[in-house]
Amino acid sequence: MSAIWGTLSFNHNISSSSIDETMRIHYTAKCKLDRIETASTENCYFACGIQHLTDEAKHEILPIYDRDNGFIITADCILDNRTELLDKLNISDNNIPDGTIIYHAYLKWRNDAFSKLKGLFSIAVYDKNNKQLILASDHMASRCLYYYRHANGITFSTLLAPMLKLHPEIQPNKLYYMDYLKAPGLIPKVIGTETPYTDVFAMPPASYAVFSANSSDFKQYWHPSMEQDKFKCKTPAEYLDTFKEVMHDAVYVSLRSCGGTGILLSSGMDSLTVGTLAATELARGNKPLNTYTYVPVTND
């Protein structure tokens, strides 16, 4: 898993060195990154702040600039269906990094690749031949990806703060704050893609967007209703067994890590259930589950 950021101009050259300096300073201060890699053309700059959360991530190469096929790709990702993808892509190297798998998937399927990925991811692709920027989010938009369409092109970023530093002209979104003040403590949801800043938006879930100089085209590649046929059971007991199986698989696949595993544990049944399943699985390998929770501090 990583953080990604970048900017491009559809009509002008850019100074990638000055952009890199501005963005790198803020990401280094805000994120625990193991390394930062970049790729650029005369009008495009892509970056990836890589975290070595898995053994495969230690060998991650992102962004990838495929000069022969005319595109740059970067990704913030942890894939859950690695085995399935390796089989479909005829890749025999089980240690290949997740980002490289995504590169091969995009090379084979182009924009259809996003619907074949499962896990946590946000992806950016610059199609140099067609002069397009493609941004994609995972099924739940778990890895946030913000974008800002400005006069010269588009900037995207995992974090908002570096984007604001690069574009000081960005103004607060008054509608967003008005919505928040009507219900303090709740996340404003006037529009699902709204942010606290005008003209800065978040990528919607299960979607990808194709940006060109004069257009923006959004497509949704998945919806929960598409899964209905996969979970049709005849009895309540069958539904319970199916739920348990899906729940177990979802928890177990999230434990892929080269270090320790932790969980934010509340007093609710949801995190308690996830924690119980995770602790049971980790115990098989004599590994602990580190838990963290919020304890109010009083003056009594």
Side-chain angles (χ1 to χ4, degrees):
M1 191 166 291
S2 314
I4 61 173
W5 62 93
T7 189
L8 70 90
S9 171
F10 292 112
N11 303 310
H12 305 285
N13 291 346
I14 62 173
S15 174
S16 59
S17 58
S18 62
I19 295 171
D20 180 67
E21 181 179 3
T22 299
M23 302 294 276
R24 186 182 293 261
I25 289 174
H26 283 266
Y27 269 98
T28 301
K30 295 289 185 180
C31 300
K32 180 75 172 176
L33 302 175
D34 290 291
R35 53 193 168 94
I36 295 175
E37 305 291 346
T38 65
S40 61
T41 67
E42 64 278 357
N43 67 319
C44 172
Y45 158 81
F46 272 29
C48 186
I50 300 172
Q51 295 176 311
H52 297 168
L53 300 184
T54 66
D55 290 326
E56 296 83 7
K58 297 175 183 178
H59 310 289
E60 190 71 87
I61 301 174
L62 286 171
I64 296 175
Y65 186 0
D66 187 334
R67 289 174 172 80
D68 292 336
N69 291 286
F71 68 86
I72 301 176
I73 186 169
T74 191
D76 168 13
C77 58
I78 288 187
L79 295 176
D80 293 341
N81 64 329
R82 283 175 53 88
T83 302
E84 175 189 2
L85 291 169
L86 291 176
D87 182 61
K88 289 182 178 179
L89 294 168
N90 295 316
I91 297 174
S92 59
D93 182 5
N94 291 325
N95 298 316
I96 188 172
D98 289 8
T100 308
I101 294 176
I102 289 176
Y103 158 74
H104 284 288
Y106 184 80
L107 185 61
K108 181 174 182 177
W109 297 305
R110 287 304 194 264
N111 293 343
D112 289 336
F114 308 131
S115 64
K116 302 180 188 296
L117 307 177
K118 295 179 182 178
L120 311 178
F121 61 84
S122 58
I123 301 167
V125 181
Y126 174 48
D127 183 340
K128 188 176 180 180
N129 295 332
N130 294 309
K131 295 184 178 180
Q132 295 177 333
L133 173 70
I134 300 101
L135 300 180
S137 61
D138 64 47
H139 295 67
M140 301 300 293
S142 305
R143 303 301 299 164
C144 59
L145 184 61
Y146 300 104
Y147 65 91
Y148 169 55
R149 182 148 199 166
H150 44 88
N152 294 323
I154 297 178
T155 296
F156 64 89
S157 178
T158 299
L159 300 180
L160 280 171
M163 183 184 291
L164 301 178
K165 189 66 176 180
L166 188 64
H167 297 283
E169 75 275 11
I170 294 175
Q171 298 296 313
N173 182 350
K174 294 182 179 179
L175 180 62
Y176 188 95
Y177 289 109
M178 289 172 59
D179 184 46
Y180 175 79
L181 292 173
K182 290 178 181 177
L186 300 179
I187 299 176
K189 286 294 180 184
V190 177
I191 300 175
T193 56
E194 287 275 346
T195 74
Y197 300 97
T198 301
D199 297 327
V200 177
F201 299 97
M203 277 294 298
S207 301
Y208 69 89
V210 179
F211 300 95
S212 61
N214 301 309
S215 65
S216 303
D217 184 19
F218 287 79
K219 294 185 178 180
Q220 186 174 8
Y221 63 77
W222 178 84
H223 188 273
S225 61
M226 297 168 62
E227 307 293 329
Q228 289 179 352
D229 292 339
K230 297 181 181 179
F231 301 105
K232 286 187 176 180
C233 302
K234 297 180 179 179
T235 65
E238 288 184 8
Y239 275 111
L240 178 59
D241 290 339
T242 301
F243 171 79
K244 288 181 179 179
E245 181 180 353
V246 173
M247 184 72 173
H248 286 203
D249 289 346
V251 173
Y252 294 166
V253 77
S254 69
L255 300 178
R256 183 166 63 98
S257 170
C258 60
T261 303
I263 183 173
L264 295 174
L265 193 64
S266 70
S267 58
M269 289 296 294
D270 48 0
S271 65
L272 181 61
T273 302
V274 172
T276 300
L277 294 172
T280 301
E281 180 65 16
L282 290 168
R284 293 190 175 98
N286 295 318
K287 295 180 179 180
L289 177 66
N290 301 302
T291 60
Y292 303 87
T293 192
Y294 170 71
V295 180
V297 178
T298 64
N299 295 322
D300 296 339

